[in-house]
Amino acid sequence: MSSGYTVDTTSLAIRVGELRALADEVEVAADRLALSAGDLGPGDLAAAAQEVADQWRDDLGAMRDKIGKIADNVRSAVANYEQVEQGGADRMRVAVERGVAEAQVNALRGGAAVQQARLNDLTGGTP
C-alpha cells in the first residue's frame, strides 16, 4: 500500500461539468418560473414568483463567473499534477537507467578482473 496520495483529475473535470450543468438547470428553472408567473393566480403571488425568477437570473451571472474560476483552477491543478507526475516518472527513469548502467559496468569490470587473473595465471604474473 502506498503512503502517498492520488488525484483523480478526470473526476475533477467531471465535477466542473456538473457545476455548469447545474447553472443551466437554474437558468431553465428561472425561465419557466418567469413564464408561468402570470398563471399563478391573482394578487402578489405572480409578482413574487417573477421577483424570485429575476433574482435567480441576476445571481446566475455571478454563479457562472465563479464556476468559470473553479474550472480555471481545476485546469491549473490538473496541469500541475500532470507536471509533477511526469517529473517523478522522469526522475525514476533516470535512476533506473543509472542503476542498470552501473550494474552492467560492474559486471564488465568483474569479468575483466577474472580475465586478467586468468591471464596472470597463464603468464606467471607477467603481462
Side-chain angles (χ1 to χ4, degrees):
M1 183 174 216
S2 73
S3 62
Y5 64 91
T6 60
V7 176
D8 185 351
T9 55
T10 302
S11 180
L12 289 173
I14 290 170
R15 299 295 86 79
V16 171
E18 289 171 349
L19 287 172
R20 286 191 169 129
L22 177 62
D24 292 342
E25 289 177 27
V26 169
E27 184 176 31
V28 167
D31 290 344
R32 286 182 181 163
L33 186 59
L35 289 174
S36 66
D39 298 337
L40 295 176
D44 294 336
L45 191 56
Q50 185 62 48
E51 185 178 333
V52 168
D54 291 344
Q55 183 66 45
W56 284 358
R57 268 201 213 93
D58 290 345
D59 291 343
L60 192 57
M63 181 179 171
R64 287 190 188 276
D65 288 344
K66 288 176 184 174
I67 291 170
K69 286 180 183 178
I70 291 169
D72 290 343
N73 290 338
V74 167
R75 276 191 290 276
S76 293
V78 167
N80 289 339
Y81 287 127
E82 289 172 350
Q83 185 178 9
V84 166
E85 286 294 318
Q86 186 61 51
D90 291 346
R91 286 189 297 280
M92 181 62 77
R93 187 174 21 264
V94 167
V96 168
E97 288 171 354
R98 284 182 183 159
V100 168
E102 188 174 319
Q104 289 174 341
V105 167
N106 287 338
L108 291 172
R109 284 182 184 144
V114 168
Q115 282 298 98
Q116 187 62 48
R118 286 183 185 155
L119 280 175
N120 287 342
D121 285 345
L122 291 175
T123 61
T126 59

